[in-house]
């Protein structure tokens, strides 16, 4: 068992420590943190072993054959909180990942029941999170014999592989990953969930920049059970976590700032000879500028990282919207090719359109999965009267002219849509107007059949947008008739 040992030696100049009086109070705070950790570790070590044989089916060959109702395929990982197993869900017909929680690592004896109750409550809350960049939670069990959660299985690795200075990602890819994490965590916060346990190993990578944030319920249960940061990666803990202050979304912003720092530099913001020294630096020191480790980092990107890592919450980003806004601005300044081919740029283009103003982030991501951006030069016919079609379009850049039988009807601008009547038809229908570009034009092409198979919330948002456009068009038509 790793033990917190307080280091009383000098830390060295240039780290931005407070005055001598503040330093005395800081030492007392850290010493109290260390004493609590030592006492808690001792209590955990003295806890009686929990009998698991009634819930685990043991196989002589590989140790565990079944967890609850789930047949085990193999072990896929271990950590301070327990082990993770690949299993099958016979009822749903899918592979799942099961996190088997270690009671000695996750709870204190006298608070065991409180921990189990908190785990179930928070698992129920986390299970309601639905976002393309959040690992889905399917099931949770916390009985007298066993604690485990059943999650979506994400094949691939995690971000730890890209936090090594020898294997850093291109800047645009690293920023895109952080942006997707921010959107996922913002969605969770809107549902009343704070992660509290975010770290690189909890961000799973399917391929490229397609990521999913996992382990939402463990951080909440730890908070209720008063588990100390040994169950987390201490380096990702915010100053307010170490000082046991009230936590808001800003603690997740800090932790994502640590992830971002590591993705950009291959180093952690702070280092200590032991856990107590590291905790002291997190609480009181200022991290070195990332450009000291990677000289080509743009200043705008560096400022985003350093503001996310502000130890004073009054100077740190207050909301995910602020963080994502600055990150987007920094991303646009990067020297990279094919900007509009990135998921981040596609998302931001669509988010800015009036057509999608009421859509949630998750519904925009769902739309992008079944849509394509298409570019047309000036004078090109996009849609011709009398032809059959299966797609409708939302204008993202440029202008188009709408005509019927050669008669001009309207000029459409970004945010307008056309061809949407196909969505309400049971089969491909004939176009009733012709759409011609007036200059270089970009549209979002959406397959009508794919939209009919979309989730109910996504379809509701499209129906509302179509209804809003129909009302606007009728109002415009009535005004034109009245003027005539």
């Amino acid at each position: 068992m790793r033990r917190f040992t307080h280091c009383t030696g000098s830390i060295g100049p240039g780290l931005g420590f407070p005055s001598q009086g503040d330093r005395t109070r800081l030492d007392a705070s850290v010493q109290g943190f260390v004493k609590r950790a030592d006492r808690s570790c001792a209590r955990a070590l003295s806890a009686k072993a929990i009998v698991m044989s009634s819930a685990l089916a043991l196989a002589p060959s590989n140790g565990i054959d079944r967890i609850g109702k789930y047949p085990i395929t193999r072990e896929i990982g271990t950590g301070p909180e327990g082990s993770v197993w690949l299993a099958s869900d016979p009822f749903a017909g899918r592979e799942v990942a099961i996190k088997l929680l270690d009671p000695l690592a996750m709870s204190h004896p006298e608070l065991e029941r409180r921990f189990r109750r908190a785990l179930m409550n928070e698992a129920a809350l986390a299970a309601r999170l639905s976002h393309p960049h959040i690992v889905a939670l399917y099931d949770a069990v916390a009985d007298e014999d066993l604690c485990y959660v059943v999650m979506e299985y994400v094949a691939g690795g995690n971000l730890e592989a890209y936090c090594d200075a020898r294997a850093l990602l291109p800047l645009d890819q690293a920023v895109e990953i952080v942006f997707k994490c921010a959107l996922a965590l913002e969605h969770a916060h809107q549902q009343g969930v704070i992660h509290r346990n975010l770290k690189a190993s909890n961000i799973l990578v399917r391929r490229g920049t397609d990521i999913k944030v996992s382990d939402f319920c463990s951080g909440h249960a730890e908070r209720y059970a008063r588990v100390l940061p040994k169950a987390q990666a201490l380096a990702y803990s915010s100053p307010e976590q170490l000082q046991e202050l009230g936590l808001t979304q800003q603690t997740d912003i800090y932790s994502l700032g640590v992830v971002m720092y590591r993705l950009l530099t291959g180093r952690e913001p702070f280092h200590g000879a032991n856990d107590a020294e590291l905790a002291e630096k997190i609480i009181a020191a200022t991290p070195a500028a990332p450009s000291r480790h990677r000289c080509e980092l743009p200043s705008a990107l560096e400022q985003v990282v350093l503001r996310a890592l502000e130890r004073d919450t009054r100077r740190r980003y207050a909301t995910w919207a602020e963080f994502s806004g600055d990150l987007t601005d920094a991303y646009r300044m990067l020297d990279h090719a094919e900007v509009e081919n990135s998921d981040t740029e596609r998302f931001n283009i669509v988010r800015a359109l009036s057509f999608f103003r009421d859509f949630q982030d998750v519904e925009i991501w769902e739309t992008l999965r079944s849509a394509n951006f298409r570019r047309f030069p000036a004078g090109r016919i996009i849609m011709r009267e009398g032809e059959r079609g299966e797609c409708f379009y939302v204008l993202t850049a440029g202008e188009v002219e709408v005509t019927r039988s050669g008669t001009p009807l309207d000029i459409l601008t970004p945010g307008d849509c056309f061809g949407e009547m196909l969505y309400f038809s049971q089969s491909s229908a004939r176009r009733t107007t012709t759409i011609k570009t007036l200059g270089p034009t970009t549209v979002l092409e959406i397959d009508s059949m794919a939209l009919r198979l979309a989730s109910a919330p996504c379809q509701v948002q499209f129906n509302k947008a179509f209804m809003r456009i129909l009302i606007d068009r009728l109002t415009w038509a009535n005004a034109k008739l009245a003027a005539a």
Side-chain angles (χ1 to χ4, degrees):
M1 176 71 72
R2 185 175 61 182
R3 183 178 178 87
F4 290 91
T5 306
H6 184 46
C7 174
T8 57
S10 62
I11 305 300
L15 291 176
F17 281 105
S19 64
Q20 183 60 41
D22 289 341
R23 176 62 182 271
T24 301
R25 289 190 292 273
L26 172 63
D27 283 341
S29 174
V30 173
Q31 287 173 2
F33 165 77
V34 173
K35 288 178 181 178
R36 289 192 300 273
D38 285 339
R39 288 197 300 268
S40 300
C41 289
R43 287 197 298 269
L45 284 172
S46 65
K48 64 183 179 71
I50 297 181
V51 178
M52 302 171 65
S53 57
S54 61
L56 290 179
L58 303 180
S61 58
N62 59 5
I64 297 180
D65 181 59
R66 179 183 296 269
I67 298 178
K69 66 180 181 180
Y70 303 97
I72 296 299
T73 303
R74 59 183 171 87
E75 185 176 17
I76 55 179
T78 59
E81 300 162 358
S83 54
V84 182
W85 301 79
L86 176 62
S88 61
D89 183 343
F91 182 78
R94 63 190 172 197
E95 289 187 314
V96 295
I98 299 181
K99 185 169 186 178
L100 183 61
L101 302 176
D102 178 3
L104 289 181
M106 295 296 290
S107 65
H108 297 180
E110 69 275 15
L111 298 175
E112 185 175 316
R113 281 183 296 179
R114 183 180 179 185
F115 165 76
R116 294 178 188 278
R117 184 169 61 251
L119 175 64
M120 294 304 295
N121 290 340
E122 299 299 341
L125 186 60
R128 293 201 293 269
L129 299 179
S130 177
H131 193 275
H133 298 301
I134 293 178
V135 171
L137 184 65
Y138 299 137
D139 191 10
V141 172
D143 56 29
E144 294 300 320
D145 298 324
L146 204 59
C147 290
Y148 63 88
V149 291
V150 182
M151 304 170 289
E152 171 189 3
Y153 172 59
V154 179
N158 58 53
L159 277 190
E160 278 291 343
Y162 305 107
C163 293
D164 188 319
R166 298 165 296 182
L168 296 179
L169 294 168
L171 290 180
D172 57 341
Q173 292 184 30
V175 173
E176 189 169 330
I177 286 173
V178 173
F179 180 78
K180 291 176 179 177
C181 291
L183 292 178
L185 293 164
E186 180 180 32
H187 171 76
H189 178 255
Q190 291 169 349
Q191 309 304 315
V193 177
I194 302 173
H195 195 294
R196 295 180 175 87
N197 194 22
L198 186 69
K199 50 193 175 186
S201 60
N202 283 344
I203 302 171
L204 308 182
V205 183
R206 298 178 64 184
R207 59 186 177 277
T209 61
D210 187 5
I211 58 92
K212 284 181 175 281
V213 181
S214 67
D215 269 9
F216 271 88
C217 64
S218 65
H220 295 280
E222 288 166 16
R223 173 173 64 92
Y224 288 112
R226 309 291 289 175
V227 174
L228 293 163
K230 70 181 182 64
Q232 304 178 5
L234 182 63
Y236 294 90
S237 298
S238 66
E240 57 268 29
Q241 278 180 296
L242 299 182
Q243 297 175 88
E244 297 185 337
L245 303 176
L247 301 183
T248 67
Q249 62 182 324
Q250 286 183 289
T251 196
D252 284 348
I253 291 176
Y254 181 94
S255 298
L256 186 58
V258 177
V259 172
M260 187 175 178
Y261 194 104
R262 293 193 64 200
L263 281 176
L264 296 177
T265 69
R267 298 168 179 262
E268 294 178 354
F270 301 107
H271 294 274
N274 51 56
D275 290 335
E277 184 178 324
L278 176 57
E280 187 172 355
K281 288 185 178 181
I282 292 172
I283 292 172
T286 299
S291 58
R292 287 180 55 183
H293 307 300
R294 191 173 179 178
C295 59
E296 72 268 23
L297 284 179
S299 174
L301 193 57
E302 180 171 84
Q303 292 307 310
V304 173
V305 182
L306 293 177
R307 186 176 172 190
L309 291 174
E310 280 283 358
R311 62 178 181 269
D312 186 344
T313 55
R314 293 170 297 182
R315 295 197 295 268
R316 195 184 308 161
Y317 287 109
T319 67
W320 285 112
E322 283 186 77
F323 177 85
S324 298
D326 283 358
L327 190 63
T328 298
D329 291 341
Y331 178 86
R332 289 176 178 147
M333 298 178 187
L334 296 178
D335 183 18
H336 52 81
E338 299 181 352
V339 171
E340 290 189 8
N341 286 337
S342 76
D343 291 343
T344 302
E345 190 68 12
R346 284 158 51 91
F347 176 89
N348 286 324
I349 290 171
V350 172
R351 165 53 73 203
L353 297 174
S354 58
F355 183 91
F356 295 97
R357 69 188 185 194
D358 295 329
F359 282 58
Q360 299 297 314
D361 290 349
V362 63
E363 292 149 6
I364 292 180
W365 284 119
E366 183 176 357
T367 300
L368 288 173
R369 287 201 296 270
S370 59
N372 294 300
F373 280 88
R374 297 189 62 190
R375 294 175 177 173
F376 298 93
R380 176 68 60 85
I381 300 294
I382 300 178
M383 197 173 79
R384 192 181 301 273
E385 186 176 352
E387 291 182 346
R388 291 189 178 275
E390 297 178 351
C391 298
F392 66 93
Y393 305 86
V394 179
L395 191 60
T396 65
E399 294 183 338
V400 298
E401 181 185 45
V402 184
T403 62
R404 178 179 294 154
S405 301
T407 302
L409 298 179
D410 201 2
I411 302 294
L412 302 183
T413 58
D416 289 330
C417 73
F418 54 91
E420 71 276 5
M421 293 308 295
L422 288 179
Y423 172 59
F424 300 100
S425 175
Q426 294 302 313
S427 59
S428 62
R430 295 188 182 277
R431 307 291 191 181
T432 59
T433 57
T434 295
I435 306 294
K436 181 179 179 180
T437 62
L438 298 179
T441 299
T442 305
V443 298
L444 184 66
E445 182 183 67
I446 304 172
D447 184 88
S448 299
M449 180 59 69
L451 183 55
R452 292 191 201 104
L453 300 176
S455 68
C458 188
Q459 291 193 47
V460 166
Q461 292 297 346
F462 270 97
N463 290 339
K464 288 171 59 179
F466 290 145
M467 184 63 68
R468 187 174 65 245
I469 288 174
L470 176 60
I471 292 173
D472 289 343
R473 289 175 180 172
L474 288 174
T475 302
W476 175 83
N478 287 335
K480 193 170 183 179
L481 287 173

